Amino acid sequence: MEVEQLPDQVREFAVYLRDLLARLDPDAGWCGIFWQRDPDGMRACLAGAEVPPWDVVEALLQDLAAGRGPDEADRQAERARALHSASLTAFDARPGGRDLLGDRLDVMLREQRYAAERQVDLAQLLHTAATREQAETMRLELAWARDDHERATARCAELHRRIADLDRQPPPLPVPQQRPVPDAGGPARPGPTGRAEPSPHAKPPKERKRRPRGSARFAGMLDEAAPAADASEPTVDPMPLAVQGPLRDSAASPRGARFAGAAEGEPAPPPAAQHLDSDVRDAIAACVSTLHRLRAEGRGGEAHGVLVEAAHWPAARFPLLAAELNRAGLGADWATLLWETASLPADLLVAAADALGAAGRTADAQQILRQGVARPATEIGASVLRLTGEGRHREARALLDAYVRVRTPEEAARSVHDDPDRLVPLLVEAARGVSDERYWDVVHALRVAGFPT
């Protein structure tokens, strides 16, 4: 976007941001870290080509408080928030803004999951540290991972709010005389400060990039310069563009089982009304109240424990819990709870997706299914075998549908190893429901792996 074409609100915030940075030491604090980690992204934000996530602005205000005093930072915070909010609204209203938000949300969800997994790994390493120096290094890394997860969670909530704001707006009137913008040759690739760079390829990359330590702190997106993840680490391929994230119009999505697991041509069952008695509603209210208190007291670890426990509640409670958390201003906690739910056993995961979908929270349902299949291929196969053995064929189809959409055909082929006779037909059927291209890719991968179709 050229500077001359910027909406007034975006230009006004860019001017404010330049003024704010002029009052800070560019080599110190978070300001120095931002310039060191992503100078191109910083320049894009200062020019108004991008709007940084709010936590970046908040970090700059922390620098201001350190240099000019907390009173000055408090005075600036109110104005910064108002200008930032107006800038985001104008920025997202551009053509293609909703799709861009969807792409960025998918990236941030992966960042959130990676940071959580990193916390677990580092906590284990900390217990096995042989020297004090190693322990200190692990503690520092663990602090970064925790901070990364908190910021990724907050950014997911911010992106969800921006998407919801767009959905509440009436669609713009068509402008017949306006010429369509030529295709840039591929999806936008979010850079490390949140700015979108045109991809030189029409297809998304096959490997997830690993960001440098702490990059979620600074920018919240994956960095092109980051080294690739180790081959031993599980990777999650981006969704096909037609179904990339929960933000697409469901009417335009490919045919197939969808998140509810209905076979193609088979009408999906109507959502069942969920009746929650007063005791359940009281439990939900108490949970939200507890989370609100813990967050206000800065007791994040205990709050996370409450969310882990809530993830194991009966699935019927999730829609009301989501509504109450968002009503209480705890949208970031709902995003964390979704991540925890995605780690549940397959049957509980599908039940949660069903409950959310039946309540109209289709985006959340699709999200946890996409995240939930980021587990070893053999575990997916075992879950499908267990579900079908219990006669729960719809749940098994839902799991496989999400799996073949998210994972590579080669990974899908590995899921049939334990029982090819039973799993190969189910996998092929799921792939056929996604698209003809995915069907032939999966069939080819199965044949290469030695499984006849």
Side-chain angles (χ1 to χ4, degrees), residues 295-365:
R295 292 300 185 191
E297 296 172 357
R299 298 157 66 183
E302 294 176 62
H304 189 260
V306 173
L307 293 171
V308 171
E309 181 180 352
H312 290 81
W313 280 2
R317 299 186 182 187
F318 283 16
L320 179 58
L321 180 57
E324 293 301 321
L325 285 172
N326 284 285
R327 185 177 295 114
L330 297 173
D333 280 331
W334 172 242
T336 300
L337 180 59
L338 285 177
W339 184 88
E340 293 293 343
T341 304
S343 302
L344 294 174
D347 52 344
L348 300 180
L349 168 66
V350 175
D354 282 346
L356 292 169
R361 303 189 70 92
T362 307
D364 290 339

Side-chain angles (χ1 to χ4, degrees), residues 289-430:
S289 177
T290 299
L291 284 168
H292 199 280
R293 174 176 55 81
L294 292 174
R295 292 300 185 191
E297 296 172 357
R299 298 157 66 183
E302 294 176 62
H304 189 260
V306 173
L307 293 171
V308 171
E309 181 180 352
H312 290 81
W313 280 2
R317 299 186 182 187
F318 283 16
L320 179 58
L321 180 57
E324 293 301 321
L325 285 172
N326 284 285
R327 185 177 295 114
L330 297 173
D333 280 331
W334 172 242
T336 300
L337 180 59
L338 285 177
W339 184 88
E340 293 293 343
T341 304
S343 302
L344 294 174
D347 52 344
L348 300 180
L349 168 66
V350 175
D354 282 346
L356 292 169
R361 303 189 70 92
T362 307
D364 290 339
Q366 292 174 330
Q367 174 186 323
I368 62 173
L369 280 175
R370 288 201 313 274
Q371 291 179 298
V373 295
R375 56 186 74 188
T378 54
E379 185 178 334
I380 295 293
S383 297
V384 172
L385 289 174
R386 187 180 72 254
L387 290 171
T388 55
E390 296 171 356
R392 302 168 69 179
H393 300 287
R394 190 193 58 76
E395 288 90 340
R397 288 198 301 268
L399 189 64
L400 278 176
D401 176 76
Y403 190 63
V404 297
R405 291 179 187 275
V406 173
R407 307 306 289 265
T408 66
E410 292 75 20
E411 289 171 320
R414 288 197 290 271
S415 70
V416 308
H417 184 271
D418 289 346
D419 194 340
D421 291 340
R422 293 172 60 189
L423 290 172
V424 166
L426 295 173
L427 182 66
V428 170
E429 178 187 1

Side-chain angles (χ1 to χ4, degrees), residues 44-358:
C45 292
L46 292 175
E50 283 293 336
V51 181
W54 171 248
D55 68 273
V56 171
V57 183
E58 200 169 36
L60 294 174
L61 291 172
Q62 292 176 12
D63 286 353
L64 184 67
R68 302 293 182 95
D71 292 341
E72 175 63 16
D74 290 343
R75 285 193 294 269
Q76 291 294 327
E78 184 175 356
R79 183 178 179 221
R81 173 65 87 176
L83 293 175
H84 183 264
S85 178
S87 181
L88 286 181
T89 300
F91 191 85
D92 295 342
R94 301 170 306 151
R98 194 174 188 277
D99 287 341
L100 178 60
L101 290 176
D103 294 338
R104 291 181 175 180
L105 180 58
D106 281 344
V107 172
M108 284 313 308
L109 290 169
R110 290 197 294 273
E111 280 289 284
Q112 183 189 40
R113 186 179 186 92
Y114 171 78
E117 292 169 349
R118 182 71 174 150
Q119 289 183 70
V120 174
D121 294 341
L122 289 169
Q124 293 173 347
L125 290 173
L126 180 60
H127 290 299
T128 61
T131 66
R132 178 177 298 179
E133 290 75 12
Q134 290 179 354
E136 288 302 319
T137 299
M138 290 301 103
R139 289 191 183 95
L140 180 60
E141 293 281 351
L142 183 57
W144 275 115
R146 287 171 176 164
D147 191 76
D148 288 348
H149 184 262
E150 290 179 2
R151 289 184 177 272
T153 299
R155 290 175 185 181
C156 287
E158 179 179 298
L159 289 166
H160 274 300
R161 287 194 298 270
R162 291 164 68 179
I163 292 164
D165 289 343
L166 282 179
D167 288 344
R168 284 192 290 268
Q169 296 175 5
L173 295 175
V175 183
Q177 69 274 16
Q178 184 175 359
R179 295 173 63 93
V181 178
D183 183 30
R189 178 178 57 78
T193 52
R195 63 192 184 91
E197 302 170 357
S199 171
H201 306 289
K203 293 183 178 180
K206 288 295 184 181
E207 294 183 357
R208 182 183 67 177
K209 303 288 187 181
R210 176 189 278 184
R211 52 167 179 75
R213 172 173 63 86
S215 65
R217 173 80 184 190
F218 315 131
M221 297 300 174
L222 299 181
D223 191 346
E224 184 182 29
D230 294 338
S232 60
E233 291 187 357
T235 59
V236 181
D237 280 356
M239 295 284 286
L241 288 181
V243 290
Q244 190 177 36
L247 313 174
R248 310 287 178 169
D249 184 350
S250 59
S253 299
R255 58 193 173 86
R258 304 303 301 154
F259 72 93
E264 184 179 358
E266 176 185 338
Q274 298 289 340
H275 174 72
L276 301 179
D277 59 31
S278 58
D279 290 341
V280 172
R281 291 179 179 274
D282 289 345
I284 292 174
C287 176
V288 174
S289 177
T290 299
L291 284 168
H292 199 280
R293 174 176 55 81
L294 292 174
R295 292 300 185 191
E297 296 172 357
R299 298 157 66 183
E302 294 176 62
H304 189 260
V306 173
L307 293 171
V308 171
E309 181 180 352
H312 290 81
W313 280 2
R317 299 186 182 187
F318 283 16
L320 179 58
L321 180 57
E324 293 301 321
L325 285 172
N326 284 285
R327 185 177 295 114
L330 297 173
D333 280 331
W334 172 242
T336 300
L337 180 59
L338 285 177
W339 184 88
E340 293 293 343
T341 304
S343 302
L344 294 174
D347 52 344
L348 300 180
L349 168 66
V350 175
D354 282 346
L356 292 169

